């Protein structure tokens, strides 16, 4: 007799002949990806999510008919013909969607009004920069020459972890890398900050590190060139439906493959017997069992709360005991200010602008870390984010978590007052750039790093976990390649998500693919993956019912 759906998960042992059971903790992109590949590879999976929506940080919420899209600014893999695109197609993430591409990656405006536009087209960028700063011609031509060379670079291993590559695949990788070796070494070894300091023009010297909206301190030239080149070949666009739309599409793909998601199901601990994870216990005491558990949630939460601090590894200790305390290795949180507006701003306003703030403005902006404010016209990124005749502006800045946390914990009224101060500054700042705008504001919603932590569970509200091109790279890569996304000494548990695979949506999504490939090898199952065939046109109704981020969540 076949076990009932309830018995299938509450029984300690799997029924004879039944498919291997996999429990996934967290319905972020990493967890949903893991579930999709587990289903395609012949396993039976179930995802437990404490929230009411999929996506984790890849999310949105609603206020007064506006949709405030939180996560995606650009998505690697929006053009066919590369590994990242294949992953998104396998996950159904782009099913039925149009892609919005921009000619300019970002515009940076200084306090004196001078601006520089970072065009994705290297020829157009070179002409623009030479007009701005002819004295820096040599450096400008060097930067644009390297940007052209990155046009065909597609080296990130999104399909298969290194230990599982065949000899033929390794040889093919070597043949691809060798001609680019000098370019990669040089651009990976040249810090953007040091490169920018070589410019004579004061605007370019300050603006170059802000190509990625905020200054990703410690980044070398390589990621700037790689992503701008991707955008030039339309491989770093914005998918229709935005962040939550991406999560909803992957959710739909997962359930169409037979997977099950339980929302409002908070996992309190991972059940361990001897040296093996065997299931999870939910809040309320209900227990569910599986052959394998995948933790696809916050890293510190997994190690400290779900495992009770009793299981770790040298590499996990290095990351979460030593490096986590080193602020320059972890991305800060952000403050997001969404502005719902009647009408729009002039059509020639850049879709994304980083404003370098004066000392006086910086002093008024609570918790600002880099004296800069990013202003994005989000309703131009995708349809359906604002009611007809209205628009959404999204303002963000890197911000200190500790001060927001201490204030919310110690004086809730003062915390809300500081959020109002932030909203007032943004309204006044935007009105300076577009006189009369303040009188057309319908709603302003402020989310702090504490909001992100409460909403998603991500430690300190960090948006991308570990910073790339830092000392965190080696232990993180070793956790993926040598530890195979496991904790040595504890069987039956895999680690997925930005704290274990690196930040960025494509890395998180491919991390789910990696984890299932490792698991298939262990179980003796063939790994299987195929592209989704969903072609129904995307529409805003697919977002479903959106929560309002009320005061209890902030």
């Amino acid at each position: 007799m076949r076990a009932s759906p309830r018995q299938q998960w509450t029984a300690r042992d799997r029924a004879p002949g039944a498919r291997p059971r996999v429990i996934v903790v967290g319905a972020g992109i990493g967890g949903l990806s893991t579930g999709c590949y587990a289903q395609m590879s012949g396993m039976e999976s179930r995802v437990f999510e404490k929230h009411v929506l999929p996506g984790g940080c890849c999310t949105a919420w609603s206020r007064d008919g506006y949709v405030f899209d939180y996560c995606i600014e650009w998505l690697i893999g929006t053009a066919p013909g590369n590994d990242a695109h294949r992953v998104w197609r396998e996950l159904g993430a782009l099913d039925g969607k149009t892609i919005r591409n921009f000619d300019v990656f970002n515009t940076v405006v200084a306090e004196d009004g001078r601006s520089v536009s970072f065009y994705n087209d290297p020829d157009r960028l070179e002409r623009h920069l030479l007009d701005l700063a002819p004295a820096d011609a040599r450096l400008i031509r060097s930067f644009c020459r390297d940007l052209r060379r990155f046009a065909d670079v597609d080296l990130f291993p999104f399909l298969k972890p290194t230990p599982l590559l065949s000899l033929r695949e390794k040889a093919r990788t070597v043949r691809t890398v060798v001609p680019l070796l000098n370019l990669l070494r040089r651009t990976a070894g040249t810090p953007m900050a040091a490169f920018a300091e070589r410019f004579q023009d004061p605007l370019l010297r300050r603006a170059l590190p802000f190509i990625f909206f905020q200054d990703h301190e410690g980044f070398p030239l390589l990621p700037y060139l790689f992503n701008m080149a991707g955008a030039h070949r339309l491989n770093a666009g914005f998918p229709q439906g935005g962040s939550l739309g991406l999560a909803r599409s992957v959710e739909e793909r997962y359930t169409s493959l037979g997977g099950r998601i339980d929302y409002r199901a908070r996992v309190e601990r991972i059940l361990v017997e001897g040296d093996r994870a065997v299931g999870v216990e939910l809040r309320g005491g209900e227990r569910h069992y599986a052959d394998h558990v995948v933790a696809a949630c916050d890293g510190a939460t997994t190690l400290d709360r779900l495992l009770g601090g009793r299981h770790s590894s040298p590499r996990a200790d290095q990351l979460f005991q030593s490096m986590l305390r080193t602020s320059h290795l972890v991305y800060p949180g952000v403050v997001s200010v969404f502005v719902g507006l009647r009408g729009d701003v002039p059509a020639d306003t850049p879709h994304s602008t980083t404003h370098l703030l004066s000392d006086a403005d910086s002093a008024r902006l609570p918790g600002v870390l880099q004296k800069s404010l990013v202003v994005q016209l989000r309703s131009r990124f995708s349809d359906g984010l604002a009611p007809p005749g209205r628009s959404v502006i999204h303002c963000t800045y890197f911000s200190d978590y500790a001060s927001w946390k201490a204030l919310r914990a110690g004086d809730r009224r003062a915390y809300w007052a500081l959020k109002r101060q932030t909203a007032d500054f943004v309204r006044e700042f935007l009105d300076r750039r577009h006189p009369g705008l303040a009188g057309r504001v319908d709603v302003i919603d402020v989310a702090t790093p504490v909001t992100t932590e409460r909403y998603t569970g991500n430690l300190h509200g960090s948006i991308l976990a570990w910073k790339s091109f830092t000392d965190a790279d080696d232990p993180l890569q070793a956790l993926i390649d040598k530890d195979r996304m496991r904790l040595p000494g504890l069987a039956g548990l895999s680690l997925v998500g930005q704290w274990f695979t690196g930040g960025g949506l494509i890395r998180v999504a491919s991390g789910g693919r990696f984890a299932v490939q490792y698991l298939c090898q262990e179980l003796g199952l063939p790994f299987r993956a195929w592209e989704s065939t969903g072609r129904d046109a995307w529409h805003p109704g697919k977002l479903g019912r959106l929560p309002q981020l009320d005061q209890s969540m902030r």
Side-chain angles (χ1 to χ4, degrees):
M1 180 184 298
R2 182 171 179 172
S4 69
R6 177 176 176 79
Q7 291 172 329
Q8 179 183 20
W9 297 101
T10 56
R12 170 63 184 81
D13 297 315
R14 175 170 30 124
R19 296 193 291 172
R21 299 169 299 173
V22 178
I23 285 177
V24 181
V25 183
I29 298 301
L32 292 174
S33 170
T34 302
C36 285
Y37 288 114
Q39 292 295 133
M40 284 189 270
S41 297
M43 305 174 203
E44 193 73 39
S45 67
R46 185 173 180 180
V47 177
F48 291 102
E49 168 57 49
K50 69 174 185 176
H51 193 40
V52 298
L53 293 176
C57 286
C58 191
T59 192
W61 59 90
S62 178
R63 285 284 301 276
D64 301 336
Y66 294 93
V67 175
F68 297 149
D69 188 87
Y70 182 71
C71 175
I72 298 176
E73 292 171 319
W74 79 92
L75 184 72
I76 291 295
T78 52
N82 58 84
D83 290 353
H85 186 77
R86 177 174 163 183
V87 170
W88 292 129
R89 285 298 180 190
E90 290 171 352
L91 297 177
L94 304 179
D95 285 358
K97 295 178 179 178
T98 58
I99 303 296
R100 179 74 166 91
N101 293 287
F102 296 99
D103 295 332
V104 179
F105 206 99
N106 190 35
T107 296
V108 180
V109 179
E111 304 92 324
D112 61 4
R114 285 189 73 206
S115 67
V116 53
S117 296
F118 291 100
Y119 294 98
N120 297 312
D121 181 345
D123 296 335
R124 190 175 181 185
L125 176 64
E126 185 173 296
R127 291 194 298 270
H128 174 60
L129 296 184
L130 288 173
D131 285 343
L132 283 175
D136 290 309
R138 183 179 61 82
L139 289 171
I140 290 169
R141 291 194 174 100
S142 171
F143 184 81
C144 294
R145 182 169 59 248
D146 284 343
L147 182 56
R148 294 183 188 95
R149 290 171 178 168
F150 268 87
D152 298 320
V153 174
D154 181 28
L155 295 176
F156 287 82
F158 294 132
L159 295 182
K160 187 182 289 188
T162 301
L164 299 185
L165 293 174
S166 66
L167 289 176
R168 179 176 294 181
E169 289 168 331
K170 290 177 180 177
R172 185 165 60 243
T173 301
V174 169
R175 287 195 299 270
T176 303
V177 169
V178 166
L180 301 169
L181 207 54
N182 288 335
L183 173 67
L184 297 175
R185 283 176 174 169
R186 178 168 51 77
T187 56
T190 304
M192 170 57 89
F195 179 71
E197 280 298 318
R198 294 162 58 188
F199 282 75
Q200 296 182 41
D201 184 86
L203 175 61
L204 291 188
R205 193 163 58 244
R206 294 180 62 201
L208 279 163
F210 288 88
I211 293 174
F212 285 174
F213 317 125
Q214 296 281 260
D215 181 0
H216 291 246
E217 297 165 342
F219 265 23
L221 288 176
L222 190 153
Y224 294 92
L225 296 164
F226 176 82
N227 284 283
M228 290 178 72
H232 179 48
R233 62 178 190 268
L234 310 183
N235 195 42
F238 187 88
Q240 187 182 17
S243 306
L244 183 58
L246 188 89
R248 285 293 196 196
S249 292
V250 182
E251 174 196 47
E252 183 178 354
R253 171 67 163 158
Y254 174 58
T255 55
S256 73
L257 291 165
R260 171 179 172 177
I261 306 178
D262 290 65
Y263 290 109
R264 299 185 185 275
R266 180 186 173 95
V267 173
E268 290 294 341
R269 66 188 182 107
I270 293 172
L271 301 174
V272 176
E273 295 180 0
D275 59 357
R276 186 173 192 85
V278 297
V280 299
E281 180 176 310
L282 306 184
R283 174 176 287 181
E286 188 174 335
R287 293 186 171 191
H288 300 273
Y289 295 94
D291 301 274
H292 201 82
V293 177
V294 178
C297 50
D298 176 67
T301 296
T302 298
L303 298 171
D304 297 338
R305 184 171 67 80
L306 299 186
L307 291 172
R310 291 183 292 272
H311 302 276
S312 190
S313 70
R315 270 180 270 275
D317 284 344
Q318 185 180 5
L319 288 166
F320 291 94
Q321 297 299 324
S322 176
M323 291 185 170
L324 194 60
R325 299 188 180 94
T326 308
S327 60
H328 74 274
L329 299 179
V330 179
Y331 274 104
V334 297
V335 170
S336 288
V337 183
F338 290 96
V339 181
L341 186 70
R342 297 188 298 280
D344 204 346
V345 297
D348 60 353
T349 306
H351 79 285
S352 177
T353 304
T354 298
H355 294 273
L356 304 179
L357 301 179
S358 67
D359 290 341
D361 278 340
S362 296
R364 295 176 53 206
L365 192 55
V368 65
L369 291 180
Q370 295 186 343
K371 294 186 176 182
S372 59
L373 180 70
V374 181
V375 177
Q376 294 185 335
L377 309 181
R378 295 295 280 192
S379 44
R380 296 187 185 174
F381 285 57
S382 178
D383 59 323
L385 299 183
R390 309 197 178 202
S391 54
V392 174
I393 299 175
H394 185 200
C395 301
T396 57
Y397 59 94
F398 281 155
S399 184
D400 170 57
Y401 163 83
S403 60
W404 288 104
K405 180 66 173 180
L407 198 60
R408 191 182 190 281
D411 189 341
R412 196 70 59 87
R413 289 180 182 272
Y415 172 78
W416 290 334
L418 202 61
K419 285 162 63 71
R420 287 193 294 271
Q421 179 183 325
T422 304
D424 291 343
F425 173 85
V426 167
R427 180 190 287 108
E428 186 270 336
F429 183 86
L430 293 176
D431 194 66
R432 270 189 263 159
R433 271 92 194 136
H434 306 287
L437 181 147
R440 296 188 285 119
V441 172
D442 272 345
V443 61
I444 295 186
D445 202 272
V446 180
T448 74
V450 180
T451 313
T452 304
E453 184 178 58
R454 290 171 57 80
Y455 187 84
T456 69
N458 271 289
L459 186 69
H460 297 169
S462 178
I463 56 167
L464 288 168
W466 308 105
K467 287 186 180 179
S468 299
F469 306 99
T470 68
D471 290 342
D473 283 350
D474 287 344
L476 190 62
Q477 195 61 49
L479 191 151
I480 296 170
D481 291 344
K482 295 183 179 179
D483 293 346
R484 299 193 169 209
M485 308 171 77
R486 308 286 185 90
L487 296 176
L490 180 62
L493 177 70
S494 292
L495 306 168
V496 172
Q498 64 177 12
W499 290 98
F500 298 113
T501 63
L505 289 174
I506 184 55
R507 292 184 68 179
V508 171
S510 65
R513 201 179 198 273
F514 289 3
V516 174
Q517 286 173 305
Y518 283 136
L519 183 55
C520 283
Q521 186 183 61
E522 177 182 308
L523 297 175
L525 295 174
F527 175 78
R528 300 180 62 215
W530 60 89
E531 292 191 6
S532 169
T533 57
R535 294 294 180 266
D536 291 345
W538 172 265
H539 56 84
K542 286 181 173 284
L543 291 176
R545 185 175 181 274
L546 297 180
Q548 191 173 127
L549 202 63
D550 60 21
Q551 289 185 350
S552 66
M553 290 299 298
R554 298 179 194 178

